[in-house]
Amino acid sequence: MTYAYLFKYIIIGDTGVGKSCLLLQFTDKRFQPVHDLTIGVEFGARMVNIDGKQIKLQIWDTAGQESFRSITRSYYRGAAGALLVYDITRRETFNHLTSWLEDARQHSSSNMVIMLIGNKSDLESRRDVKREEGEAFAREHGLIFMETSAKTACNVEEAFINTAKEIYRKIQQGLFDVHNEANGIKIGPQQCISTSVGSIASQRNSGDVESNSGCC
Amino acid sequence: MFGRSRSWVGGGHGKSSRNIHSLDHLKYLYHVLTKNTTVTEQNRNLLVETIRSITEILIWGDQNDSSVFDFFLEKNMFVFFLNILRQKSGRYVCVQLLQTLNILFENISHETSLYYLLSNNYVNSIIVHKFDFSDEEIMAYYISFLKTLSLKLNNHTVHFFYNEHTNDFALYTEAIKFFNHPESMVRIAVRTITLNVYKVSLDNQAMLHYIRDKTAVPYFSNLVWFIGSHVIELDNCVQTDEEHRNRGKLSDLVAEHLDHLHYLNDILIINCEFLNDVLTDHLLNRLFLPLYVYSLENQDKGGERPKISLPVSLYLLSQVFLIIHHAPLVNSLAEVILNGDLSEMYAKPEQDVQRSCAKPSIRCFIKPTETLERSLEMNKHKGKRRVQKRPNYKNVGEEEDEEKGPAEDAQDDAEKAKGTEGGSKGIKTSGENEEIEMVIMERSKLPELASTSVQEQNTTDEEKSAATGLESARWSRPFLDMVYHALDSPDDDYHALFVLCLLYAMSHNKGMDPEKLERIQLPVPSEAEKTTYNHLLAERLIRIMNNAAQPDGKIRLATLELSCLLLKQQVVTSTGCVIKDVHLACLEGAREESVHLVRHFYKGEEIFLDMFEDEYRSMTMKPMNVEYLMMDASILLPPTGTPLTGIDFVKRLPCGDVEKTRRAIRVFFMLRSLSLQLRGEPETQLPLTREEDLIKTDDVLDLNNSDLIACTVITKDGGMVQRFLAVDIYQMSLVEPDVSRLGWGVVKFAGLLQDMQVTGVEDDSRALNITIHKPASSPHSKPFPILQATFIFSDHIRCIIAKQRLAKGRIQARRMKMQRIAALLDLPIQPTTEVLGFGLGSSSSSQHLPFRFYDQCRRGSSDPTVQRSVFASVDKVPGFAVAQCINQHSSPSLSSPSPPASGSPSGSGSTSHCDSGGASASSTPSVAQSPTDDPTTMEQPQPNLLDQLVIVSETEAGARPGKSLAKSADEPVSLSPSLIPAQQPTISLLCEDTADTLSVESLTLVPPVDPHSLHTLAGILPPPMPATEGTGTPGEEAGPSEPAGPAQH
């Protein structure tokens, strides 16, 4: 499966905000969220198409490694994009954004694209953080913002893809040195590594079927 | 696609999810598996989907129905997974399986379910399965799988992974084989896994022994070599750099080194003593000492041994001390740097840290004799026979490495045996290593060999630190000497910056034994009691400061800031400051120089004010963070001046006049703040605008008698409000009437006039466009408009009035501030009628007052006394006050540019200023030697000053003239010493206030002041006179007005 670029993402945010679920929801649609079952994963990869270019997204969840400073540090540095996630039903996860962001800014390259995500938008009744607050925070810190629901898959696709678009735009502006893999961007191999007939990529197409109509 | 895969599993769309998540469905899936034991092109998708569904059911079962796991176990379904894996089933299936496993282990919440999955050793079989690691996706899923497993490690689960009897710990040993994988995410995962393993091993002795005895030495030696190789590459990058072209690569290498240090530190703070000993030993003796520390000395000597350049070594050592706080390590390292002896450089086994460790080591940076993979296998198969090779992502390279001659192999094994079994302590010093390729040590020096062996015997069982303590007196300290020497460099501060960082890092290191630092009199910051400090260092620091204040100084701002930090750390105690007078005098000299430097750039231009305030903001908002500084690779390259490199301003030299001005301002701020702090005085002048002095939104002001212009404000977003525009001294504000009090107004908006732009509107003579920007809070953020609106007035006359008032107010506000800067720089104020009267005559001086004083003085504005007294109490216009002061003294000074001698007779003791003034007259080293009077001269002014400060609104500039007036009789005499040019007294024992007073006057005699302007001043002189005289009492009167303001709100 060949690709033009590979972007490495990390997902950060407090525990329990649904990072790994977002990740699984994006990388493998077949794990349909069911109300009595939450499934997450710490690593995932998926191909997306941006401006007619095949781009592979590799997403690394940093969960469970917060206690080691070296690990968080390195993760930040190796990523081109970061999804900073909070839970709209728990204010404290929103309050911690500042320190997450500080960490991210300190350790990452200045070009890293950070997307702020208010997750669990399906739980409107228990909402504790207003959408406007998220928007304001994002505006203040120069982030892209979205509210998503890993459960209903609402906006999940967009969150990852918009981040990729932004990275792609920065590449085209020459802000990223694509030849330096330390930036979390890799130029794809010129040909397929293995024969993959309707493998992962085709399954991922299932995402297109899914309706992205405004649920949030 | 989605639908199709569902239907394959027999679920179909009709089935509800409840049915899919059920034991029955699992049974069905089991059936599918039994029917498809061989992977073919045809059933591949079916199998993948089946595996995926099983995962889902298992997780569901974990949370809802335990019978699911029973069935899974009973039918040994894991075997099917393994079976599928073992067929060359291709990447697609492989990835799916790994993903499934990831999901399974990630989401299982019940311990028992986890045990089910881990039992029967299937997981270990998967761990050691020969995946195709050249495929990046498989590699990524595989390492994530190991990482997920490592996160599940705990006291109970560890037995599923570590087998005490067979010495198998696949999870750990398979993971560390990828420690130097080219893909950074893989390396990070490996580090995570090892850290998780070490954390668990704390409670598991057997496992700990296994890790230490079988894996620690191979892993750490390879890791240390890996780090060292990067360091050499880094050094190479610095050495071969031309025109800063290597910066991108350099910053990656630096970041990589930092990653490693943080990783090592993370291991060390797990605090597993066993491991720490081995790791510390390797780090010290295989990396830090031989490669970093020994490179400090003897750049030309040392023969073959690998070395790095001095700046790189200082830089890296700073990083080490900033990051790693493990006491045994940092103390041993510091010991060598601070007390190290040359003889230590030459091959001596290290005892002090690794007594408990079996393997003795030699201080050298050498490549491990075999690859990690090989060592691990050797260890594992010690008892057994064959070495099983597993495919690896770098199979090709490995072959070469391992294709060694049989003889060499034997040699390696011998080495190995010795290494692991211990026993050979000092023997390994010479002969053997030469046979090993890549051994590069300073062994070439034969003369040293003799002394080395003697040294060894002597110290083998000794506490080395004790030895060094006793003998330090006669030992030379080459490393420390070098450290000090690097501070001396007159040409630039390339090395000095690193030295300062190193000293800073060492003294701030939590693991450091304070005694170590005390030996070089470098106190730790927290130390309460200090009586003495390192004079050698202090002098060098002050020299750097002095150098920085020179017009062509080659000291970067970062270096200066760090010098200030270190000096403060040395001499400031909780109770006061122990700096010697002579040093303080030198420092004052440097500060004076910095004043001169800024004066040189002081211009009436608008931009100077903005720069001045901006520099102050950025200095206070972004204080030096040494750790961040040391993360920046750009300082590794020789200092440069051009901003085209993108290097931060504080880390390079200035380019062009603007930057030179900025730099001069910064130097002035830093030295001023240092000087104030060392003398225990508060800063009262800066920032020029204090938040608390400004009118804020919702303040309620008495606007009786104020000029108010009604207008309609249309904001950009279309909002439209009726407001009154009022112009204050520094601010413009929009108010609306206060409903509760007639004539009062509530502030709805207030913005600084200095940041305002007013433009007319083309086709509307009644309208103005007004924009006020908030100054950028950081260099990265954009200036943010806090007001952007169109103001519409009732007619064009009012519009013009408003425009004029705003425009003038802006000029006025800026001029006021410029005058305050001039006062700070002891420059004479350039008087203009506009300044004094705002073009509206004397009564309008009240206009300069902030509104908060209006309720006191507005009404009485006809009464000049009150007005003036209030005026005198307003600290916002010290420039004004100083100007008056100058007027007073200008004539005597002019008439008698008298010799210093005239100062002495009147040193009647009635004022301390005269004393110190007289002292400064003789200016100079001699004074420094008689510091006995100095404490008194320096203390005396302070009570004095304090009184005045309280009364006269806490500004120094305000205070000084007041004081001078009080002692007007003595003043003229005390002036003359000041005629000593300010440039000279690099050593001057003047205390600050005197110095300033003096130099104010001294400057009146010097250009740029036009003598005529003094005359002009003299002409204006009379009116202000009574004002200043009234300072004392009316000042008190005005005092209450300050709290009165807030009270009304």
Side-chain angles (χ1 to χ4, degrees):
Chain A
M1 191 179 350
T2 178
Y3 53 81
Y5 293 109
L6 182 145
F7 297 165
K8 286 179 232 171
Y9 283 16
I10 51 170
I11 302 197
I12 52 177
D14 285 7
T15 37
V17 296
K19 291 173 297 203
S20 56
C21 297
L22 272 177
L23 180 78
L24 185 64
Q25 181 55 232
F26 176 69
T27 55
D28 202 335
K29 285 268 149 30
R30 298 164 306 157
F31 285 91
Q32 256 211 333
V34 189
H35 78 100
D36 57 351
L37 193 61
T38 45
I39 307 183
V41 71
E42 290 192 345
F43 171 80
R46 177 177 154 184
M47 204 70 95
V48 295
N49 191 310
I50 286 166
D51 281 7
K53 286 247 184 345
Q54 285 292 97
I55 289 176
K56 184 166 189 170
L57 304 182
Q58 219 184 50
I59 304 121
W60 301 76
D61 184 2
T62 60
Q65 291 134 38
E66 292 88 351
S67 50
F68 302 118
R69 194 176 166 197
S70 60
I71 303 303
T72 4
R73 205 197 109 79
S74 319
Y75 266 124
Y76 281 119
R77 218 165 47 74
L83 302 186
L84 172 53
V85 188
Y86 68 92
D87 176 349
I88 65 154
T89 68
R90 278 161 56 214
R91 175 154 293 272
E92 73 268 18
T93 64
F94 181 76
N95 294 339
H96 295 160
L97 289 179
T98 323
S99 77
W100 279 110
L101 196 63
E102 219 167 86
D103 257 29
R105 295 261 198 241
Q106 187 196 329
H107 298 305
S108 66
S109 103
S110 53
N111 286 323
M112 182 164 88
V113 174
I114 303 177
M115 165 154 264
L116 180 65
I117 290 181
N119 194 27
K120 308 198 184 171
S121 62
D122 50 305
L123 300 175
E124 190 58 48
S125 57
R126 282 163 49 198
R127 181 188 278 275
D128 198 15
V129 181
K130 279 191 226 120
R131 188 194 177 88
E132 290 72 29
E133 292 175 88
E135 278 167 355
F137 186 92
R139 205 175 322 117
E140 189 184 339
H141 295 94
L143 317 174
I144 324 172
F145 175 70
M146 259 189 177
E147 283 196 349
T148 63
S149 164
K151 184 139 275 180
T152 65
C154 167
N155 271 344
V156 173
E157 192 87 358
E158 290 80 351
F160 285 86
I161 289 176
N162 288 353
T163 310
K165 280 182 183 156
E166 182 64 18
I167 297 171
Y168 187 67
R169 196 180 59 80
K170 285 196 171 187
I171 290 178
Q172 289 183 316
Q173 287 176 350
L175 292 170
F176 272 115
D177 175 11
V178 289
H179 299 286
N180 183 351
E181 286 186 20
N183 282 336
I185 295 173
K186 213 164 137 179
I187 299 181
Q190 291 313 299
Q191 60 202 16
C192 303
I193 303 166
S194 66
T195 54
S196 53
V197 190
S199 65
I200 313 283
S202 59
Q203 288 148 20
R204 305 282 150 77
N205 289 340
S206 59
D208 306 340
V209 180
E210 186 222 17
S211 77
N212 289 328
S213 57
C215 45
C216 298
Chain B
M1 195 72 209
F2 179 78
R4 200 174 49 162
S5 42
R6 278 277 163 188
S7 58
W8 274 341
V9 202
H13 290 290
K15 280 206 169 183
S16 74
S17 61
R18 192 167 302 271
N19 287 339
I20 289 174
H21 295 137
S22 68
L23 183 58
D24 286 343
H25 191 61
L26 184 63
K27 285 178 179 163
Y28 166 74
L29 293 172
Y30 171 69
H31 176 74
V32 176
L33 282 182
T34 50
K35 295 279 173 215
N36 294 280
T37 48
T38 313
V39 187
T40 64
E41 194 66 30
Q42 285 72 43
N43 67 6
R44 221 175 48 169
N45 283 325
L46 174 64
L47 275 173
V48 163
E49 192 51 37
T50 308
I51 294 165
R52 196 201 60 76
S53 299
I54 291 172
T55 318
E56 219 174 299
I57 296 172
L58 283 175
I59 293 163
W60 173 82
D62 169 60
Q63 293 166 10
N64 299 287
D65 181 358
S66 59
S67 63
V68 166
F69 266 88
D70 294 335
F71 181 82
F72 184 77
L73 199 67
E74 184 190 317
K75 297 292 178 193
N76 236 345
M77 283 171 76
F78 228 128
V79 174
F80 288 96
F81 290 5
L82 260 179
N83 180 38
I84 293 170
L85 205 59
R86 282 180 179 152
Q87 304 174 37
K88 294 257 179 270
S89 48
R91 163 178 207 275
Y92 174 44
V93 179
C94 208
V95 165
Q96 180 62 60
L97 257 172
L98 282 170
Q99 191 210 28
T100 290
L101 292 166
N102 265 329
I103 293 174
L104 257 185
F105 285 99
E106 162 85 18
N107 293 281
I108 291 294
S109 56
H110 283 97
E111 288 270 288
T112 39
S113 316
L114 186 62
Y115 298 161
Y116 276 148
L117 289 177
L118 291 175
S119 55
N120 285 334
N121 226 19
Y122 294 133
V123 170
N124 284 322
S125 310
I126 292 172
I127 293 174
V128 299
H129 177 76
K130 306 167 179 66
F131 290 95
D132 172 16
F133 292 120
S134 63
D135 182 321
E136 66 180 359
E137 190 146 326
I138 290 179
M139 183 72 233
Y141 272 108
Y142 174 76
I143 207 74
S144 299
F145 171 54
L146 297 195
K147 194 182 75 183
T148 307
L149 288 176
S150 78
L151 285 165
K152 293 286 168 188
L153 275 179
N154 61 37
N155 252 336
H156 304 290
T157 55
V158 79
H159 303 289
F160 294 109
F161 296 102
Y162 167 60
N163 188 328
E164 228 171 291
H165 308 293
T166 59
N167 264 341
D168 255 332
F169 193 2
L171 174 61
Y172 176 67
T173 53
E174 292 307 310
I176 57 176
K177 287 175 188 170
F178 295 104
F179 84 103
N180 57 359
H181 194 275
E183 167 60 56
S184 69
M185 288 295 184
V186 174
R187 290 200 302 273
I188 299 167
V190 172
R191 291 184 210 146
T192 317
I193 295 162
T194 57
L195 288 168
N196 285 331
V197 167
Y198 298 150
K199 216 165 59 175
V200 176
S201 73
L202 276 180
D203 304 322
N204 191 320
Q205 282 300 312
M207 181 167 133
L208 193 53
H209 277 280
Y210 168 77
I211 291 175
R212 193 198 63 181
D213 299 338
K214 305 288 182 189
T215 70
V217 170
Y219 179 49
F220 291 149
S221 59
N222 275 283
L223 182 64
V224 160
W225 172 256
F226 184 64
I227 298 171
S229 316
H230 270 89
V231 166
I232 287 181
E233 196 185 339
L234 191 157
D235 184 58
N236 208 19
C237 200
V238 173
Q239 300 312 313
T240 60
D241 180 72
E242 276 171 28
E243 314 290 322
H244 284 239
R245 262 181 236 134
N246 286 353
R247 256 187 65 215
K249 188 176 172 211
L250 195 59
S251 78
D252 283 341
L253 286 166
V254 165
E256 192 70 28
H257 185 254
L258 283 168
D259 275 0
H260 283 131
L261 289 181
H262 280 291
Y263 171 55
L264 296 168
N265 188 51
D266 277 342
I267 300 179
L268 291 169
I269 56 182
I270 288 177
N271 211 5
C272 176
E273 207 183 318
F274 267 27
L275 279 178
N276 283 4
D277 288 342
V278 182
L279 182 57
T280 304
D281 172 40
H282 271 91
L283 282 175
L284 271 180
N285 296 314
R286 298 298 182 96
L287 185 66
F288 292 161
L289 289 175
L291 190 60
Y292 298 12
V293 176
Y294 293 171
S295 295
L296 291 177
E297 222 272 334
N298 274 337
Q299 282 295 314
D300 308 321
K301 290 191 266 169
E304 294 290 288
R305 91 188 148 82
K307 43 184 178 284
I308 53 180
S309 61
L310 178 61
V312 174
S313 125
L314 286 167
Y315 180 82
L316 297 179
L317 281 170
S318 308
Q319 287 188 340
V320 170
F321 281 105
L322 283 169
I323 293 165
I324 298 182
H325 292 211
H326 182 60
L329 199 159
V330 291
N331 282 312
S332 308
L333 191 55
E335 179 65 35
V336 176
I337 297 174
L338 300 180
N339 286 314
D341 179 296
L342 270 180
S343 60
E344 284 179 57
M345 279 179 68
Y346 303 110
K348 184 173 75 72
E350 174 63 24
Q351 286 91 26
D352 45 352
V353 243
Q354 39 90 239
R355 260 167 258 120
S356 59
C357 170
K359 187 173 192 271
S361 24
I362 311 159
R363 271 191 197 159
C364 57
F365 178 61
I366 53 169
K367 188 175 182 180
T369 47
E370 56 193 9
T371 64
L372 174 59
E373 205 166 359
R374 192 179 158 85
S375 309
L376 291 174
E377 268 151 17
M378 294 293 297
N379 276 338
K380 186 174 161 193
H381 297 281
K382 265 252 154 77
K384 306 170 194 173
R385 270 270 61 101
R386 38 163 228 111
V387 174
Q388 179 197 23
K389 270 202 205 158
R390 290 187 56 239
N392 184 292
Y393 67 95
K394 46 169 194 178
N395 284 344
V396 187
E398 211 93 294
E399 295 302 331
E400 284 165 21
D401 265 356
E402 294 183 10
E403 299 301 279
K404 289 180 190 167
E408 215 172 351
D409 239 10
Q411 174 67 38
D412 279 359
D413 287 353
E415 272 281 347
K416 189 80 233 160
K418 230 172 270 164
T420 38
E421 273 134 44
S424 62
K425 265 213 160 161
I427 314 167
K428 259 172 103 182
T429 41
S430 65
E432 286 178 19
N433 281 347
E434 267 146 26
E435 294 166 37
I436 303 167
E437 49 177 353
M438 287 299 295
V439 174
I440 334 159
M441 267 193 51
E442 54 283 274
R443 187 95 6 84
S444 51
K445 305 215 169 302
L446 282 171
E448 261 83 20
L449 271 176
S451 71
T452 308
S453 50
V454 174
Q455 185 79 34
E456 267 158 40
Q457 282 163 11
N458 286 347
T459 51
T460 299
D461 295 308
E462 256 177 31
E463 276 292 330
K464 200 185 88 236
S465 59
T468 41
L470 289 172
E471 297 170 43
S472 58
R474 53 185 182 81
W475 282 6
S476 66
R477 298 168 168 183
F479 306 123
L480 189 62
D481 286 350
M482 190 289 320
V483 165
Y484 284 139
H485 180 73
L487 280 179
D488 281 336
S489 169
D491 299 332
D492 57 40
D493 64 348
Y494 183 35
H495 293 172
L497 179 58
F498 299 129
V499 173
L500 296 177
C501 285
L502 179 60
L503 292 174
Y504 178 93
M506 279 165 105
S507 59
H508 282 76
N509 192 299
K510 288 192 218 69
M512 191 71 91
D513 176 7
E515 270 179 34
K516 285 235 152 50
L517 295 169
E518 253 160 45
R519 243 180 278 158
I520 61 157
Q521 291 181 308
L522 187 71
V524 295
S526 55
E527 199 180 39
E529 281 311 307
K530 278 177 267 197
T531 47
T532 178
Y533 57 95
N534 185 335
H535 292 198
L536 203 65
L537 180 58
E539 274 158 25
R540 282 171 168 79
L541 292 176
I542 294 172
R543 200 177 306 158
I544 289 175
M545 296 174 197
N546 209 18
N547 195 347
Q550 302 303 320
D552 298 320
K554 292 264 187 276
I555 303 295
R556 286 167 289 175
L557 289 172
T559 314
L560 177 63
E561 194 166 357
L562 206 47
S563 308
C564 293
L565 274 178
L566 276 173
L567 188 65
K568 267 187 243 173
Q569 185 186 320
Q570 284 207 69
V571 301
V572 175
T573 65
S574 49
T575 49
C577 171
V578 297
I579 192 165
K580 281 219 175 345
D581 295 321
V582 60
H583 289 147
L584 185 61
C586 295
L587 176 64
E588 286 302 311
R591 193 193 56 80
E592 270 297 304
E593 297 272 309
S594 76
V595 173
H596 284 271
L597 191 62
V598 189
R599 260 186 226 162
H600 177 71
F601 293 106
Y602 175 88
K603 296 176 200 116
E605 282 171 36
E606 285 216 337
I607 195 71
F608 185 83
L609 173 61
D610 296 297
M611 282 198 285
F612 193 84
E613 295 202 285
D614 185 54
E615 288 307 313
Y616 191 80
R617 245 188 322 265
S618 34
M619 194 184 77
T620 44
M621 300 219 319
K622 241 180 71 186
M624 163 86 80
N625 182 326
V626 179
E627 203 175 321
Y628 291 178
L629 176 69
M630 277 309 178
M631 281 163 58
D632 187 345
S634 63
I635 56 172
L636 268 173
L637 301 175
T640 170
T642 168
L644 298 174
T645 48
I647 298 174
D648 195 10
F649 178 55
V650 299
K651 298 171 203 159
R652 60 175 167 82
L653 294 166
C655 175
D657 264 357
V658 170
E659 287 197 344
K660 279 186 184 147
T661 313
R662 284 178 59 196
R663 176 176 183 279
I665 295 171
R666 270 298 175 104
V667 172
F668 166 71
F669 285 147
M670 281 191 243
L671 292 180
R672 175 184 165 87
S673 139
L674 177 67
S675 143
L676 285 173
Q677 199 179 343
L678 294 192
R679 286 181 291 116
E681 290 173 23
E683 173 64 87
T684 54
Q685 301 278 67
L686 295 170
L688 293 179
T689 315
R690 291 181 305 179
E691 267 312 306
E692 59 265 34
D693 293 337
L694 294 177
I695 299 167
K696 293 168 199 68
T697 305
D698 293 335
D699 279 1
V700 182
L701 305 173
D702 180 359
L703 298 169
N704 287 296
N705 264 332
S706 301
D707 286 314
L708 298 169
I709 307 171
C711 58
T712 305
V713 180
I714 303 167
T715 48
K716 232 186 153 193
D717 51 24
M720 191 194 285
V721 280
Q722 300 293 326
R723 291 280 183 264
F724 290 92
L725 171 69
V727 180
D728 183 27
I729 178 166
Y730 288 127
Q731 291 166 286
M732 64 149 274
S733 43
L734 295 173
V735 295
E736 67 178 17
D738 182 14
V739 283
S740 55
R741 267 177 297 186
L742 187 65
W744 291 61
V746 183
V747 177
K748 285 298 163 193
F749 170 85
L752 284 174
L753 285 166
Q754 67 184 75
D755 304 319
M756 177 193 62
Q757 286 168 308
V758 184
T759 47
V761 175
E762 209 166 293
D763 48 3
D764 188 350
S765 61
R766 296 175 307 140
L768 293 176
N769 283 328
I770 297 180
T771 312
I772 297 182
H773 283 279
K774 189 188 167 80
S777 52
S778 76
H780 305 295
S781 62
K782 290 176 279 192
F784 172 74
I786 50 172
L787 175 76
Q788 213 167 3
T790 306
F791 285 51
I792 297 173
F793 300 90
S794 44
D795 55 46
H796 77 278
I797 301 286
R798 285 188 177 76
C799 179
I800 289 169
I801 291 174
K803 187 175 180 184
Q804 275 183 0
R805 188 157 292 159
L806 287 171
K808 270 193 180 163
R810 179 175 192 276
I811 294 168
Q812 180 68 6
R814 298 185 79 95
R815 198 165 283 160
M816 294 285 245
K817 282 199 168 173
M818 282 303 279
Q819 286 177 355
R820 293 190 52 195
I821 297 174
L824 271 172
L825 302 180
D826 305 331
L827 278 170
I829 307 306
Q830 287 151 2
T832 64
T833 44
E834 258 181 316
V835 173
L836 295 176
F838 200 22
L840 291 171
S842 64
S843 72
S844 69
S845 59
S846 61
Q847 270 194 334
H848 299 290
L849 305 179
F851 286 124
R852 58 188 57 205
F853 298 105
Y854 285 8
D855 54 311
Q856 291 281 323
C857 68
R858 271 280 170 175
R859 274 159 291 185
S861 64
S862 55
D863 178 351
T865 333
V866 174
Q867 181 193 326
R868 286 196 205 102
S869 66
V870 172
F871 178 77
S873 78
V874 177
D875 66 325
K876 297 199 167 191
V877 280
F880 198 61
V882 170
Q884 291 162 354
C885 161
I886 290 161
N887 293 338
Q888 288 227 315
H889 304 306
S890 56
S891 40
S893 312
L894 276 172
S895 61
S896 64
S898 47
S902 70
S904 40
S906 75
S908 56
S910 67
T911 75
S912 53
H913 311 288
C914 293
D915 289 350
S916 45
S920 84
S922 37
S923 143
T924 56
S926 67
V927 180
Q929 283 148 19
S930 62
T932 36
D933 336 353
D934 294 327
T936 46
T937 38
M938 272 155 55
E939 275 159 32
Q940 266 182 6
Q942 296 197 359
N944 240 340
L945 188 69
L946 275 178
D947 294 349
Q948 312 266 348
L949 280 174
V950 176
I951 299 164
V952 191
S953 78
E954 70 193 21
T955 83
E956 267 187 280
R960 260 180 248 123
K963 194 166 43 187
S964 346
L965 280 171
K967 305 176 191 90
S968 52
D970 297 323
E971 283 308 291
V973 207
S974 68
L975 283 178
S976 22
S978 72
L979 293 177
I980 289 154
Q983 276 89 351
Q984 270 183 18
T986 28
I987 298 179
S988 137
L989 293 183
L990 292 176
C991 60
E992 211 259 355
D993 61 328
T994 331
D996 277 4
T997 320
L998 292 171
S999 38
V1000 165
E1001 282 122 12
S1002 75
L1003 262 168
T1004 58
L1005 302 174
V1006 176
V1009 176
D1010 177 355
H1012 296 297
S1013 69
L1014 289 172
H1015 294 307
T1016 337
L1017 262 178
I1020 313 165
L1021 187 64
M1025 273 285 273
T1028 33
E1029 270 166 10
T1031 320
T1033 34
E1036 275 156 18
E1037 194 181 65
S1041 70
E1042 188 100 47
Q1048 291 144 12
H1049 305 159

